[in-house]
Amino acid sequence: MRIVDLGLIGYAEAEALQLKTLEAVTAGREENTLFLLEHPKVITLGRQGGAENLHLDEAQLAAHDIELVQTARGGNITCHFPGQLVAYPIWRVEKRPGGMRKFFHDMEQAVMDTCAHYGVPTIRRPKHPGVWVDETRKICSMGIGVRRWVTYHGLALNVARDVSLFNAITLCGIQGAVPTSLSAEAGRDIDMKDVKNVFGKAFAETFADSAVAADQAP
């Protein structure tokens, strides 16, 4: 696998790069790839909708320089912003034992291991993909797309204390869910570059558990 740090990148540019890499990985021209990045302020809607959980109108979005995007990922509404680590694995899953359920489990595990590194305990919630600190506080959202058994889109782990953009939505469409972050839970400001390194290692270790986790063209 390869890990690529894209820095701060616009949503459309990152999506175009995902689709280009998706085609290459599907064709066997590229190995499995993990993109790590941050986005400017953007609210995204999943295949399951989410517009009903948006609290701002078009004028308010424009006034706050917030982009609104319809995506091809699963899940409901979420948002991205500087200070949030976004990870997009372009990953072949057709030969991984456990299929998509195991893929989601492993992504969650990589996030949970990352949080544990900073002394932040986390949990899973059945029927609510992502990573939680408790039954109400969500620290990481997930939603993926799949084409020909290759994934794209991925996860968003809140790192910085400021998660105020979530005030614009009902988090993932889940009533009562509130956002939190690594820095807020750890009680100290955590460096994004350090989190990228920790998460990249956790992801590589988790996905290396399977002998077919690495790229294998059919």
Side-chain angles (χ1 to χ4, degrees), residues 167-181:
N167 293 333
I169 67 173
T170 298
L171 178 57
C172 299
I174 304 171
Q175 294 296 326
V178 295
T180 189
S181 72

Side-chain angles (χ1 to χ4, degrees), residues 5 38 83-85 114 117-118 157-161 181-184 186 188-199:
D5 187 345
E38 297 173 76
Q84 179 192 70
L85 172 60
T114 299
H117 175 86
Y118 296 101
L157 171 62
N158 304 327
V159 176
R161 294 175 186 267
S181 72
L182 266 179
S183 294
R188 59 187 175 91
D189 292 334
I190 296 176
D191 179 70
M192 177 63 75
K193 183 177 181 180
D194 188 62
V195 176
K196 286 180 177 179
N197 289 333
V198 172
F199 175 79

Side-chain angles (χ1 to χ4, degrees), residues 81-93:
F81 45 87
Q84 179 192 70
L85 172 60
V86 176
Y88 292 140
I90 315 301
W91 208 265
R92 302 180 70 92
V93 295

Side-chain angles (χ1 to χ4, degrees), residues 105-125 130-132 139-140 142 157 182 199 202 206:
H105 181 277
D106 287 350
M107 283 205 304
E108 289 171 341
Q109 191 61 53
V111 172
M112 295 174 79
D113 290 347
T114 299
C115 292
H117 175 86
Y118 296 101
V120 177
T122 53
I123 64 171
R124 293 182 175 90
R125 285 187 62 189
V131 177
W132 301 71
I139 198 168
C140 177
M142 294 185 177
L157 171 62
L182 266 179
F199 175 79
T206 300

